[in-house]
Amino acid sequence: MMMSRSIFVINPNSSEAVTQAIDRALDCLRTPGELEIRCLTLEEGPPGIESQRQSDGVIRPLCNLIGRLEEQAAAFVIACFSDPGLHSAREETTRPVLGIAESGALTALTMGQRFGVISILAGSIPRHMRYFGAMGILDRLAGDRAVGLGVAELADHDKTFARMVEVAKSLRDGDGANVLVLGCAGMADYRTPLAKELKMPVVDPTQSAVAMAIGRVRLSW
Amino acid sequence: MMMSRSIFVINPNSSEAVTQAIDRALDCLRTPGELEIRCLTLEEGPPGIESQRQSDGVIRPLCNLIGRLEEQAAAFVIACFSDPGLHSAREETTRPVLGIAESGALTALTMGQRFGVISILAGSIPRHMRYFGAMGILDRLAGDRAVGLGVAELADHDKTFARMVEVAKSLRDGDGANVLVLGCAGMADYRTPLAKELKMPVVDPTQSAVAMAIGRVRLSW
Amino acid sequence: MMMSRSIFVINPNSSEAVTQAIDRALDCLRTPGELEIRCLTLEEGPPGIESQRQSDGVIRPLCNLIGRLEEQAAAFVIACFSDPGLHSAREETTRPVLGIAESGALTALTMGQRFGVISILAGSIPRHMRYFGAMGILDRLAGDRAVGLGVAELADHDKTFARMVEVAKSLRDGDGANVLVLGCAGMADYRTPLAKELKMPVVDPTQSAVAMAIGRVRLSW
Amino acid sequence: MMMSRSIFVINPNSSEAVTQAIDRALDCLRTPGELEIRCLTLEEGPPGIESQRQSDGVIRPLCNLIGRLEEQAAAFVIACFSDPGLHSAREETTRPVLGIAESGALTALTMGQRFGVISILAGSIPRHMRYFGAMGILDRLAGDRAVGLGVAELADHDKTFARMVEVAKSLRDGDGANVLVLGCAGMADYRTPLAKELKMPVVDPTQSAVAMAIGRVRLSW
Amino acid sequence: MMMSRSIFVINPNSSEAVTQAIDRALDCLRTPGELEIRCLTLEEGPPGIESQRQSDGVIRPLCNLIGRLEEQAAAFVIACFSDPGLHSAREETTRPVLGIAESGALTALTMGQRFGVISILAGSIPRHMRYFGAMGILDRLAGDRAVGLGVAELADHDKTFARMVEVAKSLRDGDGANVLVLGCAGMADYRTPLAKELKMPVVDPTQSAVAMAIGRVRLSW
Amino acid sequence: MMMSRSIFVINPNSSEAVTQAIDRALDCLRTPGELEIRCLTLEEGPPGIESQRQSDGVIRPLCNLIGRLEEQAAAFVIACFSDPGLHSAREETTRPVLGIAESGALTALTMGQRFGVISILAGSIPRHMRYFGAMGILDRLAGDRAVGLGVAELADHDKTFARMVEVAKSLRDGDGANVLVLGCAGMADYRTPLAKELKMPVVDPTQSAVAMAIGRVRLSW
């Protein structure tokens, strides 16, 4: 049945613009006659997820949405770098659920010995550290550094890109990263230009997670 | 003001019997004219917290309760071994918030080189492992083993104690634990008999957390 | 161009029967009009890779083969659980190269908190340990235990399966594994029956690696 | 009996001024009618403990003193950041013995994801590293950096404070610390101004250890 | 000058029989006209070092002895598996000082992927764990298990050997050790028979330390 | 028999000048009438080993050479900081085989708490990291930084030394190294001047490995 062949990529914040950027970035993973990849916005989500409270706050509506979609779903991807509710969602549904931080970091491990993370805000770094600690991969982490720009500044793409390049160089030259992970679902548009500028691999975590989800679906795991 | 001198110990499951057991275990930490220690039951909680979903599910009402109590509170203790919402709660309030798994494990580190955890259910162990990994203390963990009894059997104290002794011996003799942590807020009554039977220190995590909370309040940290 | 759309899965031992078992296991990852998945046997390889010398010994012919195939290749998978020559191969070609031990272990990290490995021979375990150490994921490893059967006994499927079940139970019940990884490319046929028998996820590493390779090709990483 | 209700805080160096600073810092932990907190100077100690030899050298007289005080003691705190003789003392007496480095670091783990240590001398850092390694908490250590001032300069409080602020900023901004631990019993007076200046939590290790000791005594552990 | 060419191997317990066993085990490291290897008994030591107090208790007389011997010494070896006073001794003298636990464990790392330790008493294991943690090599430790025999039983060589074989098999087969380290200076006589019986390498730590000391002296490090 | 008393130190690159520098550095480990120390150049090796492919590429001829020399050999040392083929060689021969990276790093662990590595090229650092990860000693690694000079510049000793001093200071002052390891067999001549300039211990890895090999031979391990 067609409907049961969708991978649902859920953006747990309520910003349609982020969902659209995610959607664009997934085009290369779409093939005709195959699994559909559908990007959704969690209506109940906050405009952005910047704190542990916001991350924990979306778990309930996110799990509810997953529950409602289960019949039509082949797999789910939670498209926020805090992987909110990942382990709850895995209990909620029998379908595979991938988180973009988990998938992005694991994929990076196949592309470089030590990975660096480019975060939006410094306040998210302790949350990421707890998560990479729970994943048991801190020995592979070179560093996690924040762009540190406010919403207004993030709207300025040139400024944002310039700052991302600066952070990326610091991760590469100071911390010894040889692969980078974008620490936010909304950064997908910067992946290619950043990889070119830095001449090193850059992982978009949502793309990684969807690629892993496709594999899981095909393998019926 | 008297009311601002209360440490609120919140049992995030809705079992009054558990809250009462916790309350009894904290008597030795009460002194006249000092901080009040008040044990509350989270009405919105499930009867027990056995899954990640149940653990994540209490975060919102728990944080709401903490928000409502803040004015009267000197500190908060979250009395469930999954430490649900600990980092959210730390953002919710400026008062110290302690989790019993975190406090119990850290206290155990001062009493033995490798700690063993006695859990109720095997299904909770991966959740604990993620948490001890996030805490960065896995090198000190000897093992985490489950009693594995259902609700009906847990009501039988003799049977439960016999099984706890068995698990404790396995942690001590097989895994090399030299201190034990009770992996549930509701096990407080077994601490003293278990320590006597095993002749090794046994940590009740709620007592540990309240003791740390008292210190934090006095030091105004 | 059609020819450039092949993922080459190279079995570095010279056993055609193993290559055929791998080939069968990859059928579910094949879709019409898409990337071809072609399984090859390394003619210069030994009948099986059981030692470090055998593992190191195939690196040169394997890299030569990869070099010769580069023009037609979209990606490569090295289908031996020792991941022989993985990092050399990544220098040899600009195409993505995945190793089945690396991909299998990383995929397992998304399916359980601690993974157990079922190896053929005890003598391979130190080699695996060095590798998981290099990968920095030892905190997630529950254990690696060997089936320990000779070639003649491995030909007896029932005996082999019975022994795998025994090892799997020891990893699950004694070591605390909640996901299993098959420690050999030639075990693919046992994945489904083993998962059913144990009621826990079992990862076939070659399937994992090919799934990751498909993602990498589509994303042009 | 009143006398058995004392927590003895032993400064193992012979500087009365340090003992007095410690004593002042513990006032907030004193409550009427409760455990007495008594600060002692180890007469046989050196003026300061700056080397492994000085640290090891005080173990014998320290344990002797602990032995002599046992009858009157409820608990002991060893007030030197090298925790000299901590494990010997735990064998010497049945009373709880807390070390300030152990207690300070563990307490910091409840206040931030990665802790930074402000040491007096660079020469002490390898000793601290061995100790944090033995504690198994290196994944949580952001860094340990030294003020590097001589005795004469340390007498100049403004200069010392300015240098501490500089080191603290380096730990916070360069190393990613989000909580600080004072790496010396004699720095207690700087805790509050440093926390204010840096706008981040600062742990005085002696206060932490005494707070933990009070808990242990009340719980009869 | 002849006298400055001695490596002093100091047994910090007062048992001459242990010193003699050590002395015999070092014969193969002696060559004519070369460095003398002289084994001494620390008169002030206890009959055996079984506790942290005993270990710490010998540091002062041991360092004093090292200080008195410095002029005649090319290097020192502290021949007790607790490495008492190792870091103090390194400050006491400019000559190289090796500890047998450190040297034995590091040497074992070149002979197998995971090492097992055969200790005399269970009570020493937490002390060893702290030490291996401080050394940062816990990922390579398979296990540390105790023979658990009293002094009278240890005098019975056949019984002791039988028990050592039993512990060694448990380390090899249960814990996955592929090299063993004797956890006591006094076990040297058992090395060769144990290696033969188990068919795996067995490291005598005193021999390792003296071998490393010879290297250090020749290299003038 | 005299011929069986040789330690063969094999330089796996084909640069005679490197072999000669190694040979000079080993003079202090030679004593009359003892083990001969013979340095050989692997004819089939590349001029330098700078990539994983070059490292893997020498394994086969290196093992062949070891096989041919076995009769005359007491032990082997592989004199390249990538330790190419170390574990293969250990299977090839019953004689002890030491690798200079392994021996150098382990020896450094007895001379400082955190070691820094001075590499020639940045591209080798990920390879080193995988190796130190496989060794399980990353907690002791302060950093690995590259001199980054090309062949022409390396021929200029003054320039090379100046750059090594710069890198060494960065490892010491920025990364907290208290012992250094030369990350290349060809750097032996710089050991003494660098140690003098930095006033800290500097380990030449080839010297370390030969010293360990001498011990292994004498002990018949």
Side-chain angles (χ1 to χ4, degrees):
Chain A
M1 186 184 60
M2 186 60 207
M3 288 306 282
S4 71
R5 302 294 292 157
S6 291
I7 292 177
F8 287 101
V9 179
I10 306 176
N11 168 20
N13 74 43
S14 59
S15 300
E16 277 293 335
V18 169
T19 311
Q20 285 161 17
I22 291 171
D23 195 69
R24 277 194 304 276
L26 298 176
D27 270 346
C28 51
L29 290 165
R30 292 177 165 114
T31 50
E34 233 226 305
L35 283 160
E36 250 193 298
I37 299 168
R38 295 167 63 180
C39 298
L40 305 180
T41 304
L42 186 71
E43 285 175 22
E44 298 92 335
I49 292 184
E50 302 183 348
S51 67
Q52 186 70 48
R53 261 184 302 173
Q54 289 172 321
S55 177
D56 286 346
V58 300
I59 298 178
R60 197 178 290 190
L62 180 62
C63 283
N64 289 345
L65 179 58
I66 285 172
R68 289 197 304 273
L69 293 170
E70 184 167 31
E71 289 289 302
Q72 318 165 47
F76 294 95
V77 168
I78 301 175
C80 164
F81 204 73
S82 297
D83 283 359
L86 179 61
H87 293 284
S88 274
R90 285 177 178 163
E91 293 173 2
E92 180 73 35
T93 174
T94 59
R95 305 293 192 270
V97 186
L98 279 301
I100 67 167
E102 185 181 74
S103 298
L106 295 179
T107 298
L109 299 190
T110 70
M111 299 172 81
Q113 185 59 19
R114 301 184 75 223
F115 70 104
V117 178
I118 304 179
S119 294
I120 302 283
L121 296 170
S124 300
I125 294 175
R127 192 162 71 251
H128 296 169
M129 289 291 178
R130 290 195 293 270
Y131 193 62
F132 296 137
M135 287 183 66
I137 57 169
L138 284 174
D139 276 352
R140 299 287 295 275
L141 178 69
D144 186 331
R145 297 195 178 271
V147 166
L149 297 180
V151 175
E153 291 167 305
L154 284 172
D156 179 341
H157 276 237
D158 288 351
K159 191 169 193 174
T160 302
F161 184 66
R163 180 68 188 128
M164 286 177 76
V165 168
E166 197 179 355
V167 169
K169 284 184 178 168
S170 161
L171 288 164
R172 183 189 66 186
D173 302 332
D175 299 323
N178 29 54
V179 59
L180 298 175
V181 179
L182 301 175
C184 179
M187 285 175 173
D189 290 342
Y190 297 102
R191 194 189 74 77
T192 306
L194 198 62
K196 268 188 196 145
E197 179 76 22
L198 273 288
K199 296 186 185 15
M200 66 192 292
V202 178
V203 171
D204 173 63
T206 316
Q207 292 180 327
S208 304
V210 174
M212 291 188 94
I214 293 171
R216 290 281 291 277
V217 173
R218 291 208 192 159
L219 293 164
S220 311
W221 286 0
Chain B
M1 186 183 60
M2 188 59 206
M3 289 304 282
S4 71
R5 303 295 292 158
S6 292
I7 292 177
F8 287 101
V9 179
I10 306 176
N11 169 21
N13 73 43
S14 59
S15 299
E16 276 293 336
V18 170
T19 311
Q20 285 162 21
I22 291 170
D23 194 69
R24 279 195 301 278
L26 299 176
D27 270 347
C28 51
L29 290 166
R30 292 179 165 112
T31 50
E34 231 223 307
L35 283 160
E36 247 192 300
I37 298 169
R38 297 167 62 181
C39 298
L40 305 181
T41 305
L42 185 71
E43 285 174 23
E44 297 92 332
I49 291 183
E50 301 182 350
S51 66
Q52 186 70 48
R53 261 183 302 174
Q54 290 172 321
S55 178
D56 287 344
V58 300
I59 298 178
R60 196 178 293 191
L62 180 62
C63 284
N64 288 345
L65 179 58
I66 285 173
R68 289 198 302 273
L69 293 169
E70 186 168 28
E71 288 289 303
Q72 319 167 45
F76 294 95
V77 168
I78 301 175
C80 164
F81 202 73
S82 297
D83 284 357
L86 179 61
H87 293 285
S88 273
R90 285 179 178 161
E91 293 173 2
E92 180 74 37
T93 174
T94 59
R95 306 292 194 267
V97 186
L98 279 301
I100 69 168
E102 185 180 77
S103 299
L106 295 178
T107 299
L109 299 190
T110 70
M111 300 173 81
Q113 184 60 16
R114 298 183 78 222
F115 70 103
V117 177
I118 304 179
S119 293
I120 303 283
L121 296 169
S124 301
I125 295 175
R127 193 162 69 250
H128 297 168
M129 289 293 177
R130 287 195 295 269
Y131 194 61
F132 296 139
M135 288 183 64
I137 59 170
L138 285 174
D139 276 352
R140 301 287 295 274
L141 178 70
D144 185 331
R145 297 196 178 271
V147 167
L149 298 179
V151 175
E153 292 167 305
L154 283 173
D156 179 340
H157 276 237
D158 289 352
K159 191 169 192 174
T160 301
F161 184 66
R163 181 65 189 130
M164 285 177 76
V165 168
E166 198 179 352
V167 169
K169 284 183 176 167
S170 162
L171 288 165
R172 182 190 65 186
D173 302 334
D175 299 322
N178 30 53
V179 58
L180 298 175
V181 178
L182 301 176
C184 179
M187 286 175 168
D189 290 343
Y190 296 102
R191 195 188 72 78
T192 305
L194 197 64
K196 267 186 196 148
E197 180 73 23
L198 273 285
K199 296 185 185 17
M200 67 193 290
V202 178
V203 171
D204 174 63
T206 316
Q207 292 180 327
S208 305
V210 174
M212 291 188 94
I214 293 171
R216 290 281 292 277
V217 172
R218 291 210 191 157
L219 293 165
S220 313
W221 286 1
Chain C
M1 187 182 57
M2 186 61 206
M3 289 305 282
S4 72
R5 301 297 291 158
S6 291
I7 292 177
F8 287 101
V9 179
I10 305 176
N11 168 21
N13 73 42
S14 58
S15 299
E16 277 293 335
V18 169
T19 311
Q20 286 161 18
I22 291 171
D23 194 70
R24 278 193 303 279
L26 299 176
D27 271 346
C28 51
L29 290 165
R30 291 176 165 115
T31 50
E34 231 225 307
L35 282 161
E36 249 193 300
I37 299 169
R38 296 167 63 181
C39 297
L40 304 181
T41 306
L42 185 71
E43 285 175 24
E44 299 92 332
I49 292 183
E50 302 182 348
S51 65
Q52 187 69 48
R53 261 184 302 173
Q54 290 172 321
S55 177
D56 287 344
V58 301
I59 297 177
R60 196 177 293 191
L62 180 62
C63 284
N64 288 344
L65 178 58
I66 285 172
R68 287 196 305 273
L69 294 168
E70 185 167 30
E71 288 288 303
Q72 319 166 46
F76 295 95
V77 168
I78 301 175
C80 165
F81 203 73
S82 297
D83 283 357
L86 179 59
H87 293 286
S88 273
R90 285 178 178 162
E91 293 173 0
E92 180 73 36
T93 174
T94 58
R95 307 291 194 270
V97 187
L98 278 302
I100 68 168
E102 185 181 76
S103 299
L106 295 178
T107 298
L109 299 190
T110 69
M111 301 173 79
Q113 184 60 17
R114 299 181 77 222
F115 70 103
V117 177
I118 304 179
S119 294
I120 303 282
L121 297 169
S124 300
I125 294 174
R127 193 163 68 252
H128 298 168
M129 290 291 180
R130 288 195 294 269
Y131 194 62
F132 297 137
M135 287 182 66
I137 58 171
L138 284 173
D139 275 352
R140 300 287 294 276
L141 178 69
D144 186 331
R145 297 195 178 271
V147 166
L149 297 180
V151 175
E153 291 167 305
L154 284 173
D156 179 340
H157 276 237
D158 289 351
K159 191 169 192 174
T160 302
F161 183 66
R163 181 66 188 128
M164 285 176 77
V165 169
E166 199 179 351
V167 169
K169 285 183 177 167
S170 162
L171 288 164
R172 183 190 63 187
D173 302 333
D175 300 321
N178 29 53
V179 58
L180 298 175
V181 179
L182 301 176
C184 179
M187 286 175 169
D189 290 342
Y190 296 101
R191 193 186 75 78
T192 306
L194 198 62
K196 269 186 195 149
E197 181 75 23
L198 274 287
K199 294 186 189 12
M200 66 193 292
V202 178
V203 171
D204 174 62
T206 316
Q207 291 179 327
S208 306
V210 174
M212 292 188 93
I214 293 171
R216 290 280 291 276
V217 172
R218 290 210 192 157
L219 293 164
S220 312
W221 286 1
Chain D
M1 184 183 61
M2 187 59 207
M3 288 305 281
S4 73
R5 302 294 292 158
S6 291
I7 291 178
F8 287 102
V9 179
I10 306 177
N11 168 20
N13 75 42
S14 58
S15 300
E16 277 293 335
V18 169
T19 311
Q20 285 162 19
I22 291 171
D23 194 70
R24 278 194 304 277
L26 299 175
D27 270 346
C28 50
L29 290 165
R30 293 179 164 111
T31 50
E34 234 226 304
L35 282 160
E36 249 192 299
I37 298 169
R38 297 167 60 182
C39 298
L40 304 182
T41 305
L42 185 72
E43 284 174 24
E44 298 93 334
I49 292 185
E50 302 182 348
S51 66
Q52 186 69 50
R53 262 184 302 174
Q54 288 172 321
S55 177
D56 286 345
V58 300
I59 298 178
R60 196 178 290 192
L62 180 62
C63 283
N64 288 346
L65 178 59
I66 286 173
R68 288 197 305 272
L69 294 169
E70 185 167 30
E71 289 289 302
Q72 319 166 46
F76 294 96
V77 168
I78 302 176
C80 163
F81 202 74
S82 297
D83 282 358
L86 179 61
H87 294 283
S88 273
R90 284 177 180 164
E91 293 173 1
E92 181 73 37
T93 174
T94 60
R95 306 291 193 270
V97 186
L98 278 302
I100 67 167
E102 186 180 75
S103 299
L106 295 178
T107 298
L109 299 190
T110 70
M111 300 172 80
Q113 185 58 16
R114 300 183 76 222
F115 69 103
V117 178
I118 303 179
S119 294
I120 303 284
L121 296 169
S124 299
I125 294 174
R127 192 161 71 250
H128 297 168
M129 289 291 176
R130 288 195 294 270
Y131 194 61
F132 296 137
M135 287 182 67
I137 57 170
L138 284 174
D139 275 353
R140 301 287 295 275
L141 178 69
D144 186 330
R145 298 196 177 271
V147 166
L149 298 180
V151 176
E153 292 166 306
L154 284 172
D156 178 339
H157 276 237
D158 289 352
K159 190 168 193 174
T160 301
F161 182 65
R163 179 69 188 129
M164 286 176 77
V165 168
E166 196 179 355
V167 169
K169 285 183 176 170
S170 160
L171 288 164
R172 183 189 64 186
D173 302 333
D175 299 322
N178 30 53
V179 58
L180 298 175
V181 179
L182 302 175
C184 179
M187 285 176 171
D189 291 343
Y190 296 101
R191 194 188 74 78
T192 306
L194 197 63
K196 267 187 198 148
E197 179 75 22
L198 275 286
K199 296 189 187 11
M200 66 192 291
V202 178
V203 170
D204 174 63
T206 316
Q207 292 179 327
S208 304
V210 174
M212 291 188 94
I214 292 170
R216 290 280 291 277
V217 172
R218 291 211 193 156
L219 293 164
S220 312
W221 286 359
Chain E
M1 184 182 61
M2 187 60 207
M3 289 304 282
S4 71
R5 302 293 294 158
S6 292
I7 292 177
F8 287 101
V9 180
I10 306 177
N11 168 21
N13 74 42
S14 59
S15 298
E16 276 293 335
V18 169
T19 311
Q20 286 162 19
I22 290 171
D23 194 70
R24 277 194 304 279
L26 298 176
D27 271 347
C28 51
L29 289 166
R30 291 177 166 115
T31 50
E34 234 224 306
L35 282 162
E36 251 192 297
I37 299 168
R38 297 167 62 180
C39 298
L40 305 182
T41 306
L42 185 71
E43 285 175 24
E44 297 93 333
I49 291 183
E50 301 182 349
S51 66
Q52 186 69 49
R53 260 184 303 173
Q54 288 172 321
S55 177
D56 286 344
V58 301
I59 297 177
R60 195 179 292 192
L62 180 62
C63 283
N64 289 344
L65 178 58
I66 284 172
R68 289 197 303 272
L69 293 169
E70 185 169 28
E71 288 288 303
Q72 319 166 46
F76 294 95
V77 168
I78 301 176
C80 165
F81 202 73
S82 298
D83 284 357
L86 179 61
H87 293 285
S88 274
R90 285 178 178 161
E91 293 173 1
E92 180 73 36
T93 174
T94 59
R95 305 293 194 268
V97 186
L98 280 300
I100 68 167
E102 185 181 74
S103 298
L106 295 179
T107 297
L109 298 191
T110 69
M111 300 173 79
Q113 185 58 18
R114 299 182 76 223
F115 71 103
V117 177
I118 304 177
S119 293
I120 303 284
L121 297 169
S124 300
I125 293 175
R127 193 162 70 251
H128 297 168
M129 288 293 177
R130 288 195 293 269
Y131 194 61
F132 296 138
M135 287 182 65
I137 57 170
L138 285 173
D139 275 352
R140 300 287 295 275
L141 178 70
D144 187 330
R145 297 195 177 274
V147 166
L149 298 179
V151 175
E153 291 167 306
L154 283 173
D156 179 340
H157 276 237
D158 289 351
K159 192 169 192 173
T160 302
F161 183 66
R163 180 66 188 129
M164 286 177 76
V165 168
E166 198 179 351
V167 169
K169 284 183 177 167
S170 162
L171 288 164
R172 184 190 63 186
D173 302 333
D175 299 321
N178 31 52
V179 58
L180 298 174
V181 178
L182 301 175
C184 177
M187 286 175 170
D189 290 343
Y190 296 101
R191 193 186 74 79
T192 306
L194 196 64
K196 269 187 193 146
E197 181 74 23
L198 274 286
K199 295 187 186 14
M200 67 192 292
V202 179
V203 171
D204 174 63
T206 316
Q207 292 179 329
S208 305
V210 174
M212 290 188 96
I214 293 172
R216 290 280 292 275
V217 172
R218 290 210 193 158
L219 292 166
S220 312
W221 287 0
Chain F
M1 186 182 59
M2 188 56 206
M3 287 306 282
S4 72
R5 303 295 291 158
S6 291
I7 291 177
F8 288 101
V9 179
I10 305 177
N11 168 20
N13 73 43
S14 58
S15 299
E16 276 293 335
V18 169
T19 312
Q20 284 162 18
I22 291 171
D23 195 70
R24 279 194 302 277
L26 299 176
D27 271 345
C28 50
L29 289 165
R30 292 178 164 114
T31 50
E34 234 225 302
L35 283 161
E36 248 193 297
I37 298 168
R38 295 167 62 181
C39 298
L40 304 181
T41 305
L42 185 71
E43 285 174 24
E44 298 92 335
I49 291 183
E50 301 183 350
S51 67
Q52 186 69 48
R53 262 185 301 175
Q54 290 171 321
S55 177
D56 286 346
V58 301
I59 298 179
R60 195 178 291 190
L62 180 62
C63 283
N64 288 344
L65 178 58
I66 285 172
R68 289 197 303 272
L69 293 170
E70 185 168 30
E71 288 289 302
Q72 319 166 45
F76 294 95
V77 168
I78 300 175
C80 164
F81 203 73
S82 297
D83 283 358
L86 180 61
H87 293 285
S88 273
R90 283 176 179 164
E91 292 174 2
E92 180 74 36
T93 175
T94 59
R95 307 292 194 269
V97 186
L98 278 301
I100 67 168
E102 184 181 77
S103 299
L106 295 178
T107 298
L109 300 189
T110 70
M111 301 172 80
Q113 185 58 17
R114 300 183 77 222
F115 70 103
V117 177
I118 304 178
S119 294
I120 303 282
L121 296 169
S124 300
I125 294 174
R127 194 163 68 252
H128 297 168
M129 289 292 177
R130 289 195 293 269
Y131 194 62
F132 296 138
M135 289 182 64
I137 57 170
L138 284 174
D139 275 352
R140 300 286 295 274
L141 178 68
D144 186 329
R145 297 196 178 271
V147 166
L149 297 180
V151 176
E153 291 167 307
L154 284 172
D156 178 340
H157 276 238
D158 288 352
K159 191 168 193 175
T160 302
F161 183 65
R163 180 67 187 128
M164 288 177 74
V165 168
E166 198 179 353
V167 170
K169 284 183 178 169
S170 161
L171 288 164
R172 182 189 66 187
D173 302 333
D175 299 321
N178 31 53
V179 57
L180 298 175
V181 179
L182 301 175
C184 178
M187 285 176 171
D189 291 343
Y190 297 101
R191 195 188 74 78
T192 307
L194 197 63
K196 267 187 196 146
E197 180 74 22
L198 272 288
K199 294 187 187 15
M200 68 193 291
V202 178
V203 170
D204 174 62
T206 317
Q207 292 180 327
S208 304
V210 174
M212 291 189 94
I214 293 171
R216 290 281 290 278
V217 173
R218 289 206 192 161
L219 293 164
S220 313
W221 286 359

